Amino acid sequence: AHLKCPPMTIAKADYIEGLAKGLSVLEAFDTERQRLNASLTSQRTGLTRAAARRHLLTLTELGYLETDGSHYWLSARVLRFAGTYMATSRLPRTLQPTLNRLAQQTQAAFSAVVLDGDECVIVARSAGVAEPVRLMAYGLHLGARLPAHATSTGQVLLANMAKTDFNTWLQGRSLARITPKTEVGVGAFKKRIEQVRVQDHALSRDAHELGIHALAVPLRN
């Protein structure tokens, strides 16, 4: 599937298309496709194979990708952006002591999550509590991206959108069935979000991974 670009909100003359294409190539790498060649990159970005190859070569030259001559994968250099975000963003630094204290008091794990398109991104994670032996398939590390519709955190964030913004987010969207318990019907999902809006919390059972229950509450101010 082609990567979706957000609607343009700036003047076309101010939009650097080459930069956008280069970033789309970096975003084409994920947990499902950790190594890409030019053909796969073309399929995932919508670029021609020739253009995808040039972007891959350029990103390798700049140090953001590594290659064996055929396939490409992300290098550690991409972490410089994540590291800068973690070091400079107020949200993770403000929440970290509270997450750690909650974990120590309950022996459970706590995360702080923000919404990015159709995914949730973990920006802070409690420390000091041993993880259960059975880890979730998607992982719960800093920077992990989880499907918003199938997670308690995502449902809380969606429920706290203005209703018009939520309807825009949902319009034309296909809700992926991740487990047999994932709600994929648009009408039923809207009712679910309305319920979360009224309750002001969300409890997700088996919707993201079977055997995993998670509770989320909104953080305000």
Side-chain angles (χ1 to χ4, degrees):
H2 292 177
L3 295 175
K4 295 181 179 178
C5 296
M8 189 179 299
T9 58
I10 61 175
K12 188 174 182 179
D14 293 329
Y15 187 78
I16 304 176
E17 190 172 354
L19 175 60
K21 290 179 178 179
L23 291 174
S24 76
V25 170
L26 284 178
E27 291 180 355
F29 294 86
D30 56 27
T31 54
E32 294 179 0
R33 288 288 189 178
Q34 300 170 10
R35 298 191 175 211
L36 299 174
N37 57 20
S39 296
L40 288 170
T41 303
S42 173
Q43 293 173 15
R44 294 174 71 84
T45 61
L47 298 171
T48 65
R49 187 184 182 284
R53 176 179 174 275
R54 291 197 301 272
H55 280 84
L56 291 169
L57 290 172
T58 301
L59 289 166
T60 302
E61 180 68 19
L62 294 173
Y64 293 107
L65 298 179
E66 295 180 4
T67 183
D68 58 7
S70 175
H71 286 76
Y72 299 78
W73 56 92
L74 297 176
S75 76
R77 189 179 182 89
V78 299
L79 291 175
R80 68 187 305 173
F81 301 113
T84 301
Y85 171 79
M86 293 300 178
T88 59
S89 176
R90 290 183 60 191
L91 183 62
R93 289 184 292 130
T94 301
L95 294 177
Q96 194 64 58
T98 299
L99 297 177
N100 292 345
R101 185 173 68 252
L102 288 170
Q104 291 169 359
Q105 292 173 348
T106 64
Q107 297 303 299
F110 291 80
S111 300
V113 175
V114 297
L115 188 66
D116 182 17
D118 58 357
E119 295 178 312
C120 295
V121 184
I122 297 178
V123 297
R125 181 89 171 124
S126 60
V129 174
E131 293 285 358
V133 173
R134 180 177 179 275
L135 293 175
M136 295 177 67
Y138 284 81
L140 283 180
H141 52 81
L142 284 177
R145 307 181 72 86
L146 309 174
H149 72 286
T151 54
S152 58
T153 46
Q155 292 173 11
V156 157
L157 291 167
L158 292 172
N160 278 270
M161 284 182 171
K163 290 186 178 182
T164 53
D165 292 338
F166 170 67
N167 289 334
T168 299
W169 181 92
L170 189 58
Q171 186 176 9
R173 186 179 297 276
S174 176
L175 303 176
R177 186 179 299 281
I178 300 171
T179 77
K181 299 289 188 178
T182 308
E183 182 57 69
V184 296
V186 172
F189 185 70
K190 290 181 73 171
K191 290 181 180 178
R192 167 64 178 159
I193 295 302
E194 182 59 36
Q195 180 184 28
V196 172
R197 187 177 288 118
V198 172
Q199 294 175 166
D200 210 29
H201 71 268
L203 178 61
S204 177
R205 298 183 178 93
D206 304 315
H208 178 248
E209 183 170 349
L210 295 177
I212 300 296
H213 296 185
L215 177 69
V217 296
L219 301 179
R220 300 189 178 96
N221 192 14

